[in-house]
Amino acid sequence: MIALLLVACDGQEYLVGASEPVRVHGGVFHEGALPVDDAAITPLVLNAGSVGAIITAGQASMPYSGLATPDSYSVAVAFPTLGTGFWVVPVDGPDVTQENALLFDVTADFTTEAPYGLQTLSFVAIDGEGAPGPRYDTTVCILPEVATHNLAYCDPNTTPQNAVISLSWDTDVDLDLIVVAPNGKLVSSKMPSTAL
């Protein structure tokens, strides 16, 4: 569940963090710039990553995991140059195989507010006194829901494909798609190339 706070102001109600380009399940949203102290040696995010770096705008429930130094209390997450604030999640228990560094998990939704192309997603460890450490940056490639330019949004040297087949459903389906290419070749998940 995404932590969104309902706030009343002059009779208006709105969801805090709802319009952010990234939303974090179970995270607490804070307005303002991502807290960073580049001169700090600790607390420190040691690593953070996900199963992939290519994300579709509007993609939900993207898991990230990482390690932070043992003096970390929580981890802040945000696109540092996008949105109006950042999300904070608590750290978990120690990983005894990694010198008791603390584990953390983040499940992120990337909204349609996230611009296409290469974006930086940053993680910052925060200690028990609220002092931040330096940023740990990861790079994500955000593509439109309908693939129109292959990876050219993230790498201008990538030549866009000649044709795009894009399908979507509003319910879960088990589907095997087979396409007959202009050269007569059948293309499927088992034979993904049009080469003869």
Side-chain angles (χ1 to χ4, degrees):
M1 173 181 285
I2 298 174
L4 298 175
L5 302 177
L6 194 61
V7 178
C9 179
D10 296 331
Q12 300 278 342
E13 291 186 339
Y14 60 95
L15 295 174
V16 176
S19 62
E20 291 300 300
V22 64
R23 296 187 301 223
V24 173
H25 294 226
V28 176
F29 183 74
H30 298 270
E31 292 280 348
L34 184 68
V36 175
D37 183 352
D38 287 325
I41 297 172
T42 188
L44 186 66
V45 170
L46 301 170
N47 62 56
S50 186
V51 293
I54 298 174
I55 293 165
T56 302
Q59 184 170 342
S61 300
M62 190 73 173
Y64 282 83
S65 59
L67 290 169
T69 51
D71 57 342
S72 302
Y73 184 78
S74 59
V75 172
V77 183
F79 286 120
T81 59
L82 304 171
T84 63
F86 58 95
W87 298 89
V88 176
V89 295
V91 293
D92 296 322
D95 184 339
V96 295
T97 67
Q98 298 293 325
E99 300 178 356
N100 290 322
L102 299 177
L103 298 157
F104 67 88
D105 292 298
V106 172
T107 301
D109 293 344
F110 294 88
T111 70
T112 54
E113 302 297 320
Y116 305 148
L118 285 177
Q119 304 298 337
T120 298
L121 183 66
S122 297
F123 298 81
V124 176
I126 300 172
D127 68 17
E129 303 298 318
R135 277 178 23 188
Y136 182 94
D137 292 341
T138 62
T139 302
V140 295
C141 170
I142 299 177
L143 299 177
E145 185 177 358
V146 177
T148 55
H149 295 90
N150 202 0
L151 294 176
Y153 279 106
C154 299
D155 181 3
N157 296 321
T158 300
T159 304
Q161 64 275 33
N162 293 327
V164 174
I165 298 172
S166 181
L167 306 170
S168 62
W169 286 260
D170 60 1
T171 59
D172 290 335
V173 294
D174 181 13
L175 178 72
D176 293 320
L177 178 64
I178 299 174
V179 176
V180 179
N183 64 4
K185 176 86 174 15
L186 289 177
V187 180
S188 68
S189 61
K190 294 181 182 177
M191 297 178 290
S193 173
T194 57
L196 294 174

